[in-house]
Amino acid sequence: MPDIKDIDSLWQTFSADLAGASTERAVAALRDRYLGRKQGSLTLLFQQISHVAPEARKAFGQRLNEVKQRIETALAGQTAALAATRPPAGAVDITLPGRRPVIGHRHPLAAMRERIEGIFSRWGYAILDGPETEDDWHCFEALNMPPEHPARDMQDTLYLEQPLERRLWGAGASPGAIDRATLLRTHTSSMQIRYMETHEPPVRIIAPGRVYRRDNLDVTHTPMFQQVEGLVVGEGVSMADLKGTLVSFLRELFSPQTTVVFRPSFFPYTEPSADIFMSCFVCGGSGCGMCKRTGFIEVLGCGMVHPAVFKAVGYDPDRITGFAFGMGIERLALLRHGVDDIRAFYDNDLRFLEQFPL
Ligand code: DAH
């Protein structure tokens, strides 16, 4: 049988619920829960009046009306209090999550260059920058490339026009004449010469940068691309140092399981010279499209610095030895990301670039 205590305990639970209602929406829900026309807890008690003992009915009804009043007043008070804290129309709602601006990320080639620089700088190498316009001496002559060397051919190298003052005043100069002495460097190996000319051994450097060749654009060629040159010179630097360094480098750059293979090769500025191949990280060496079914991919050129190069920079080849290496950044990035067209790196198509968050 309903009792007046039921009304008092309902008031108790209502008070606790109201204390926890911190939004206008929560207060509205409370009104439904207690005063709802069909299922409201207080409404249900009103419907119970006929079951109350006749002598208690009057007091029960009075208490119900009184509690209903109190509930309504409390609800209205709470709603008003919450409405007062509501921001005025048009105000900035600082509780909304912020809109994240698109801030972009590293270009895949920059990311690859920075990874390479990171590995070598941890090993104590200095990182050099140098000119992209070069002279014949630094790019070819001092690197033991004689005048008839094919790399010096106009077919391969981009030579620059003579500077204006030379064209105007120089002996025998003619307008628009090509200056065979000023060119866009075809490789970063020129930085070996620039550094050794101005520093005594020991040397431990890498030189990343752009290089230029007279190539037409296709899936594997761009007329401008990027290389990283490396040079280590000192007393007793050996082929074993070269091997250890470059094997460790490739295992760090790709994976510790990488197999590295050296194959004899030729560069005018190194003797002996080698091409380095690494096991294909797509198929692990069993042969696939990436490695043209050979299981191996060529990634680096290297060798022991030729004595003629040391002589050109005034180092004593009887006292010191060294090793050098060169690698293409685009090539390493193509391999690492499984991209099959080098031009994609330079098209600046965001749909392509957005795929490389690192
Ligand atoms: N200069 C070479 C090229 O452009 C790369 C290279 C090979 C650099 C062997 C070196 C080296 O220092 O020892 O393909």
Side-chain angles (χ1 to χ4, degrees), residues 74-246:
L75 286 170
Q78 182 81 332
T79 305
L82 288 170
T85 65
R86 201 196 294 152
V92 174
D93 181 353
I94 58 164
T95 65
L96 284 177
R99 248 176 257 144
R100 257 173 211 284
V102 180
I103 53 168
H105 52 73
R106 287 264 174 280
H107 190 281
L109 295 179
M112 176 54 80
R113 194 194 67 230
E114 284 169 13
R115 287 193 60 207
I116 296 168
E117 290 175 356
I119 293 170
F120 283 106
S121 65
R122 260 179 277 136
W123 291 345
Y125 285 62
I127 300 172
L128 300 188
D129 204 4
E132 292 170 23
T133 51
E134 259 303 355
D135 50 44
D136 189 272
W137 167 257
H138 291 95
C139 200
F140 301 128
E141 185 90 36
L143 285 162
N144 198 30
M145 290 160 99
E148 67 277 10
H149 195 280
R152 294 177 150 200
D153 199 302
M154 302 265 300
Q155 298 284 334
D156 297 311
T157 301
L158 289 153
Y159 289 92
L160 299 174
E161 281 195 354
Q162 288 183 352
L164 185 61
E165 65 277 18
R166 279 263 296 281
R167 264 192 278 155
L168 292 175
W169 315 115
S174 56
I178 297 300
D179 181 0
R180 298 283 314 234
T182 317
L183 49 91
L184 294 175
R185 65 180 177 189
T186 57
H187 54 185
T188 45
S189 303
S190 51
M191 288 304 293
Q192 295 186 26
I193 305 303
R194 287 199 171 268
Y195 190 78
M196 289 192 284
E197 278 177 341
T198 51
H199 297 79
E200 288 300 314
V203 173
R204 209 178 343 167
I205 56 140
I206 59 164
R210 294 190 183 90
V211 300
Y212 301 82
R213 289 185 195 172
R214 249 187 123 111
D215 280 322
N216 288 322
L217 271 175
D218 65 30
V219 289
T220 53
H221 294 91
T222 47
M224 184 281 288
F225 59 101
Q226 301 176 62
Q227 291 187 327
V228 178
E229 191 76 15
L231 178 68
V232 175
V233 179
E235 281 176 35
V237 174
S238 71
M239 189 86 185
D241 297 320
L242 177 160
K243 255 188 111 167
T245 302
L246 295 177

Side-chain angles (χ1 to χ4, degrees), residues 106-120 206 208 226 228 249-250 253-254 281 327-337 345 356 358:
R106 287 264 174 280
H107 190 281
L109 295 179
M112 176 54 80
R113 194 194 67 230
E114 284 169 13
R115 287 193 60 207
I116 296 168
E117 290 175 356
I119 293 170
F120 283 106
I206 59 164
Q226 301 176 62
V228 178
F249 165 71
L250 288 172
L253 191 65
F254 286 95
F281 48 86
M327 63 189 107
I329 294 180
E330 285 79 359
R331 187 170 168 72
L332 290 168
L334 285 173
L335 295 172
R336 185 176 151 78
H337 299 300
F345 286 130
F356 309 96
L358 281 173

Side-chain angles (χ1 to χ4, degrees), residues 7-18:
I7 306 175
D8 292 340
S9 76
L10 182 137
W11 170 250
Q12 298 297 330
T13 35
F14 170 81
S15 303
D17 283 349
L18 188 69

Side-chain angles (χ1 to χ4, degrees), residues 304-356:
M304 299 304 294
V305 179
H306 197 291
V309 175
F310 285 145
K311 281 194 196 129
V313 297
Y315 281 15
D316 178 1
D318 293 329
R319 202 172 60 78
I320 46 118
T321 51
F323 67 82
F325 53 91
M327 63 189 107
I329 294 180
E330 285 79 359
R331 187 170 168 72
L332 290 168
L334 285 173
L335 295 172
R336 185 176 151 78
H337 299 300
V339 174
D340 56 11
D341 187 341
I342 192 173
R343 293 170 295 189
F345 286 130
Y346 289 107
D347 284 344
N348 282 337
D349 184 335
L350 285 179
R351 290 167 303 174
F352 171 77
L353 295 175
E354 275 165 3
Q355 298 174 74
F356 309 96

